[in-house]
Amino acid sequence: MKAAFDGTIIRVGKDGRQLYEQSGYGRPEADGLRLSPQEALYLLHRQKIEVDGYNFDTLFAEFADQRNFMRSFLVYRDLRERGYVVQTGPHDFRVFRRGEKPGTGESLYLVRVLSERDPIHFGKLIEEVVASRNMRKQYVLAVVDDEEELTYYEIKLQKLADACNEVPLISSHDAMLTGKSAMVRVPANSDLEHGGYGKRLDPERLLLSPVELLYLMSRKHIVLMKGNEAVSPEAFLALASETDRELNGKHAVYTELRDHKFTPRTGYKFGHHFRVYCGISVHSDLLVHAVEKEATLPMSLISRSVRMAHSVKKKMLFGAVHTSGIQFVEFARIKL
């Protein structure tokens, strides 16, 4: 099948309409078909079309200077080889359900193509996921690494349901400021420990971390004392933030988790802010990391996070902190 390239657009004559009607390639135009660069190269490689004056190598060289073209073509080819019909837009690609194509079915995925070193801007990501959800599509990141290998991630915006178990009620306690944390004199198996708070120092004393302390103070369960003077939550937050610049965000995410009856504990050994339990479950269900909504993280870091969470059978959530609340963003590897 003959195609012509005018330096900008590749077109096929009216006999090319069968490519669209049978397999969803291109966009109908007048009596013919207009192909995207990715479609044209794939069809040329599969020997479905011939382009006057070009072979695969020379046509690839024509497009290779376009920003991010290589990774875009690799993703397009991979999706086509997996049996999907793929068209450009509204992100990078929209991907139809297997066996469906334009005019006879609906697209299932909206795909954004990235490299392993690209940054993830959480504000923009959330906007794109919301737009995909409004169109009833699944939002997918297709990440191409330095060896041209592909990994697909499904991104979901999660709303926390209340945890599966009730946490015990907590009575009021006095605590003594000790550095940037606090110490409470309570016997073993106290209500605080049953509620998932603190680390036992000895049979009479329990240590509370800054995020635990801030939450308990905000709920009037702890009165923090420095000598004979009470310390306000605001004063303690300012004090503890001197050595932990992430504390504000961690406090906001911790509070959201606690208010939904989850039990967050430190996730340091997993490289994240919190490991999160459902009530009094023995094993944690989630890994959660607090970020500002306008924060940017490299995709390589997120990839390591997802891999870690998967290896320990947990979901990986990032809690994006904004003035209007917390938006939890789940990253999960998928096989298309």
Side-chain angles (χ1 to χ4, degrees):
M1 192 176 296
K2 296 292 185 179
F5 178 46
D6 63 7
T8 304
I9 298 173
I10 294 177
R11 292 183 173 89
V12 185
K14 61 182 180 181
D15 58 339
R17 282 298 187 95
Q18 62 180 295
L19 291 171
Y20 176 79
E21 293 166 358
Q22 294 177 4
S23 303
Y25 289 101
R27 302 293 175 93
E29 181 181 78
D31 291 332
L33 197 67
R34 184 180 75 253
L35 298 173
S36 71
Q38 295 88 349
E39 290 172 320
L41 274 171
Y42 182 74
L43 288 168
L44 184 58
H45 192 259
R46 295 291 301 272
Q47 300 180 349
K48 299 291 186 180
I49 64 172
E50 296 177 0
V51 181
D52 288 341
Y54 292 90
N55 58 30
F56 178 82
D57 294 344
T58 56
L59 189 60
F60 200 115
E62 284 285 333
F63 295 129
D65 289 338
Q66 295 181 10
R67 187 171 181 268
N68 302 330
F69 179 76
M70 170 70 85
R71 72 181 71 154
S72 178
F73 173 71
L74 291 173
V75 171
Y76 179 88
R77 183 184 66 175
D78 184 70
L79 291 169
R80 276 287 182 178
E81 294 294 320
R82 292 173 184 270
Y84 291 103
V85 170
V86 186
Q87 288 199 328
T88 56
H91 297 318
D92 285 312
F93 298 117
R94 61 191 183 105
V95 180
F96 289 76
R97 299 175 188 274
R98 283 193 176 91
E100 298 186 358
K101 58 183 182 294
T104 62
E106 294 185 356
S107 53
L108 173 62
Y109 302 112
L110 295 182
V111 178
R112 173 68 73 197
V113 179
L114 301 175
S115 84
E116 66 171 87
R117 293 182 306 282
D118 280 340
I120 295 294
H121 185 286
F122 277 85
K124 181 180 179 181
L125 179 72
I126 290 168
E127 289 176 3
E128 291 194 350
V129 177
V130 169
S132 299
R133 188 171 61 186
N134 290 341
M135 290 185 281
R136 299 180 181 179
K137 316 294 182 191
Q138 292 176 259
Y139 183 87
V140 173
L141 292 179
V143 182
V144 183
D145 68 21
D146 286 346
E147 294 184 351
E148 319 302 352
E149 295 289 335
L150 275 61
T151 307
Y152 295 98
Y153 297 89
E154 183 179 12
I155 315 301
K156 294 181 180 179
L157 303 184
Q158 297 287 19
K159 288 187 176 180
L160 294 180
D162 285 344
C164 54
N165 294 310
E166 290 288 331
V167 293
L169 295 175
I170 306 298
S171 58
S172 180
H173 299 273
D174 289 339
M176 182 177 69
L177 182 65
T178 52
K180 304 296 172 66
S181 57
M183 185 168 59
V184 187
R185 293 184 68 95
V186 287
N189 298 314
S190 67
D191 56 345
L192 288 171
E193 289 167 286
H194 284 294
Y197 298 97
K199 177 71 175 178
R200 178 61 58 178
L201 178 65
D202 60 31
E204 298 179 352
R205 298 170 182 84
L206 191 71
L207 296 177
L208 297 174
S209 70
V211 288
E212 293 173 325
L213 185 55
L214 283 166
Y215 180 77
L216 290 167
M217 291 172 72
S218 70
R219 297 304 183 266
K220 312 299 184 185
H221 295 313
I222 289 289
V223 177
L224 181 62
M225 304 297 295
K226 183 179 182 181
N228 295 322
E229 295 184 2
V231 180
S232 69
E234 296 76 17
F236 176 72
L237 177 60
L239 173 68
S241 296
E242 292 175 356
T243 53
D244 186 355
R245 287 180 289 181
E246 296 180 307
L247 185 57
N248 268 301
K250 287 159 58 177
H251 171 49
V253 170
Y254 184 93
T255 297
E256 186 77 5
L257 291 166
R258 276 288 181 182
D259 285 351
H260 282 83
K261 301 182 177 65
F262 287 91
T263 305
R265 305 294 302 224
T266 178
Y268 175 77
K269 66 181 179 180
F270 299 111
H272 292 291
H273 291 142
F274 305 113
R275 68 189 196 277
V276 182
Y277 296 81
C278 177
I280 56 174
S281 173
V282 175
H283 300 289
S284 56
D285 303 282
L286 309 170
L287 294 180
V288 178
H289 198 85
V291 296
E292 295 297 326
K293 187 178 178 183
E294 298 307 312
T296 299
L297 294 179
M299 188 62 220
S300 56
L301 186 151
I302 292 173
S303 175
R304 290 195 294 271
S305 300
V306 175
R307 174 70 73 175
M308 166 57 77
H310 179 77
S311 69
V312 292
K313 299 180 180 180
K314 306 181 195 306
K315 291 183 177 181
M316 183 67 232
L317 272 62
F318 289 84
V321 181
H322 194 55
T323 52
S324 59
I326 311 297
Q327 176 64 72
F328 289 96
V329 183
E330 180 184 354
F331 289 76
R333 290 184 62 174
I334 59 170
K335 293 183 178 180
L336 294 181

